[in-house]
Structures are given as structure tokens and as C-alpha cells.
């Protein structure tokens, strides 16, 4: 039972890290998907300007970022489970309990049957505590995904469409004067520069 607070602390730290990593991983994957979708939706334009390699590299960079985050998550998860569960919970705690129990049995303070029962109870309790901490860790990870979803729901639009004026009959010309435009995903690459 002395290891439970340490295991709980490790689970909390791991869960908080997983939450941040899950959010970053989802953002990286969303950027990769946006790059691919933009290139596919504008395939003719990409091809007309011979930009296939550029779009491929842009997608590859975004996907590489996601891959690195996912790989880091796999390593951290492997280390966490190896250290916390395999080493601490499944090796150190039972070994300490067995060593102390053997000392009590040899000194005559406790019958051997009670040591066996204590070992079985400890094994079951350790499994339940492990399941509980797994659930807490999953909740932390899910909170990262939920935070991203709620951020999308709660965001304010960049352009507010307000008013109720309706033009009944429109005729005439449209005059463009000093029109500038760039895509939101690439604001540093202007498409229209002062079109008049």
C-alpha cells in the first residue's frame, strides 16, 4: 500500500503529459489533413503551377510532426508501464510484502496461511488500483481531445454577418479596388496583391 501514492502521482503526471501530447498530436494531424485536402481540392492549380513537390513536402512535414509526437507518446507510454506497473507494482511491492511476510512467519508472529492470503489479496487489490489509475490516465488523455473540441465550439467567428438589408433589384457594375487576398493557412503567400 505504500507504493500506491507514488503510483498515483506517476499516473497523474503521465496523464497530464498525455493530455498535452494528445492535443498537440491532434493539431498536427489536423494540419496534415488540411494540407492534403487543400492540395487535392486544388489539384488543377497545383499541377498548373508545377507545385506537386512543394505540396508533397508540405504534407510530409506536417505528417512527420504528427509521427514524432506519436512515437514519443509510444516511448513514454512504454516507459511508464514498464517502470510503474511491471517494476514497481508487479515486482517491488510483492517482493517487499513477501520478504516482510516471510520474516513474520519465521519469527512465529504470523501463520504461513495468512501470508499466502495476504499475497493473494495484495495481488487482487493491486490489479484494481491499476485499473483505476488506467481509467484516470484515459480521462486525462480524453480531456485533451475534449478541450480541442470545445475550443472549436466556443471560438468566435472572424467575420460577423449582421444586418438585414436586402437589395431587391441590383444592376450595374462591380468595381474592385486594391483587393488583397491570401489563404488562412498561408498568410505569408499572397494570392491577390492590390487587384484593381
Amino acid at each position: 500500500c505504500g507504493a500506491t501514492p507514488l503510483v498515483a502521482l506517476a499516473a497523474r503526471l503521465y496523464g497530464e503529459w498525455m493530455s498535452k501530447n494528445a492535443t498537440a498530436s491532434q493539431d498536427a494531424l489536423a494540419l496534415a489533413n488540411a494540407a492534403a485536402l487543400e492540395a487535392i481540392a486544388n489539384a488543377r492549380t497545383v499541377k498548373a503551377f508545377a507545385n506537386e513537390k512543394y505540396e508533397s513536402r508540405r504534407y510530409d512535414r506536417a505528417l512527420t510532426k504528427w509521427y514524432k509526437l506519436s512515437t514519443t507518446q509510444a516511448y513514454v507510454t512504454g516507459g511508464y508501464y514498464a517502470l510503474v506497473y511491471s517494476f514497481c507494482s508487479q515486482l517491488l511491492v510483492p517482493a517487499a510484502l513477501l520478504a516482510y511476510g516471510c520474516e513474520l512467519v519465521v519469527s512465529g508472529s504470523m501463520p504461513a496461511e495468512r501470508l499466502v492470503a495476504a499475497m493473494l489479496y495484495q495481488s487482487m487489490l493491486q490489479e484494481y488500483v491499476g485499473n483505476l489509475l488506467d481509467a484516470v490516465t484515459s480521462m486525462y488523455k480524453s480531456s485533451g481531445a475534449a478541450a480541442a473540441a470545445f475550443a472549436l465550439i466556443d471560438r468566435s467567428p472572424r467575420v460577423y454577418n449582421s444586418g438585414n438589408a436586402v437589395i431587391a433589384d441590383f444592376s450595374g457594375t462591380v468595381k474592385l479596388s486594391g483587393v488583397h487576398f491570401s489563404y488562412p493557412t498561408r498568410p505569408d503567400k499572397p494570392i491577390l496583391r492590390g487587384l484593381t
Side-chain angles (χ1 to χ4, degrees):
C1 270
T4 302
L6 295 175
V7 171
L9 177 64
R12 178 178 179 172
L13 294 175
Y14 172 68
E16 289 173 353
W17 181 85
M18 283 290 284
S19 177
K20 291 176 189 170
N21 190 66
T23 302
S25 183
Q26 289 167 354
D27 290 346
L29 191 56
L31 287 175
N33 287 338
L37 189 62
E38 188 177 308
I40 291 169
N42 300 304
R44 286 182 157 173
T45 305
V46 170
K47 192 172 183 178
F49 288 99
N51 254 356
E52 294 92 342
K53 287 184 181 179
Y54 169 78
E55 293 297 336
S56 177
R57 285 191 302 270
R58 189 165 75 104
Y59 177 68
D60 188 53
R61 278 193 305 271
L63 206 56
T64 299
K65 183 178 179 183
W66 170 81
Y67 178 77
K68 286 179 180 178
L69 287 167
S70 297
T71 303
T72 302
Q73 180 178 327
Y75 282 127
V76 170
T77 299
Y80 169 76
Y81 280 101
L83 181 67
V84 172
Y85 284 109
S86 297
F87 184 69
C88 185
S89 296
Q90 302 300 323
L91 179 66
L92 289 183
V93 171
L97 184 63
L98 186 61
Y100 183 66
C102 286
E103 186 178 311
L104 291 176
V105 169
V106 169
S107 71
S109 301
M110 182 172 75
E113 301 84 28
R114 193 170 276 171
L115 174 60
V116 171
M119 292 296 294
L120 291 173
Y121 290 141
Q122 181 276 333
S123 174
M124 289 185 344
L125 180 63
Q126 201 71 30
E127 181 181 344
Y128 296 140
V129 169
N131 290 339
L132 177 65
L133 294 177
D134 277 345
V136 169
T137 301
S138 294
M139 286 176 49
Y140 270 109
K141 186 176 178 182
S142 298
S143 72
F150 285 122
L152 287 174
I153 292 169
D154 294 340
R155 71 180 182 199
S156 299
R158 291 183 190 168
V159 177
Y160 290 96
N161 294 330
S162 62
N164 54 6
V166 177
I167 300 174
D169 186 23
F170 179 77
S171 63
T173 59
V174 175
K175 181 179 178 185
L176 301 176
S177 177
V179 177
H180 294 272
F181 174 76
S182 63
Y183 287 104
T185 55
R186 290 188 283 172
D188 58 326
K189 304 272 187 192
I191 306 300
L192 300 178
R193 298 176 193 144
L195 177 70
T196 303

